[in-house]
Amino acid sequence: MLKDYFKTIFQAIQSLFTGMKLTGYYFTHLKEIQTEEYPDNRATLKMAERFRGEVIMPHNEDNEHRCTGCQACEIACPNGTIKIITKQEVLADGKKKKRIDSFIYHHDLCTLCNLCIVACPSDAIKMGQTFEHSVYDKKLLKKILNKPGSKLMEGVE
């Protein structure tokens, strides 16, 4: 019992010296800086490719997106972060097609689990790289992802 007590104290001191040795090394070798100077480096900061910041819907230069309104992402979301409002659009040949009216994303509810991205059959949404989402008003975390006047990209069904 007493032996275990002193063994734990010895291991804690040994761990402390290991950490201090590493700190001392970087203190004396100033050219090998390992820390990011955030927020001073916002312009040059690169996040890892696998980083999940928020759900975004990319649009091309013609304001077209790939979302067909199938609602697979809405169904896959475990906590109701995504709400897709659709409308019926009459095509030139007289057929009716379902198109999105609003793609609503509640960032305050999102757990960044990536299930909606995996479920999307047309790769219409992806995870963005932005990470600064602090706001004073919770209403600002509700975003409409489809841009005003956007339409479905040709060839996507």
Side-chain angles (χ1 to χ4, degrees):
M1 194 63 94
L2 191 61
K3 181 181 177 184
D4 292 336
Y5 175 73
F6 285 113
K7 182 179 178 184
T8 304
I9 290 175
F10 176 74
Q11 287 174 342
I13 292 171
Q14 187 179 15
S15 175
L16 175 70
F17 282 125
T18 303
M20 292 302 290
K21 184 173 95 176
L22 187 61
T23 301
Y25 173 80
Y26 285 118
F27 184 73
T28 58
H29 296 83
L30 296 176
K31 293 183 181 178
E32 299 180 30
I33 296 175
Q34 300 293 320
T35 58
E36 293 284 343
E37 297 295 328
Y38 179 81
D40 298 334
N41 66 344
R42 282 185 180 145
T44 60
L45 184 64
K46 298 288 184 203
M47 299 304 290
E49 184 66 33
R50 66 181 183 269
F51 176 74
R52 299 177 191 165
E54 67 177 333
V55 176
I56 61 171
M57 179 186 288
H59 289 68
N60 65 10
E61 60 277 349
D62 296 326
N63 200 19
E64 296 176 331
H65 56 77
R66 299 180 60 83
C67 182
T68 60
C70 69
Q71 298 175 318
C73 55
E74 184 177 354
I75 294 167
C77 183
N79 55 350
T81 299
I82 296 173
K83 176 70 177 157
I84 298 176
I85 300 170
T86 59
K87 62 182 176 183
Q88 291 292 328
E89 186 177 281
V90 180
L91 301 176
D93 58 357
K95 293 182 181 178
K96 289 185 178 180
K97 283 282 189 175
K98 181 169 70 168
R99 299 288 187 230
I100 65 167
D101 189 33
S102 296
F103 191 109
I104 302 169
Y105 170 63
H106 297 273
H107 188 65
D108 56 333
L109 300 174
C110 188
T111 59
L112 306 172
C113 65
N114 206 37
L115 292 175
C116 57
I117 310 299
V118 174
C120 183
S122 60
D123 294 327
I125 54 178
K126 66 177 192 171
M127 284 295 192
Q129 294 286 308
T130 56
F131 62 92
E132 293 178 318
H133 301 289
S134 298
V135 291
Y136 288 107
D137 189 5
K138 187 177 176 181
K139 294 175 188 169
L140 297 174
L141 294 174
K142 176 183 172 184
K143 301 176 182 182
I144 298 180
L145 297 185
N146 59 314
K147 295 178 182 174
S150 66
K151 60 183 190 243
L152 183 64
M153 202 178 284
E154 289 293 326
V156 178
E157 289 299 322

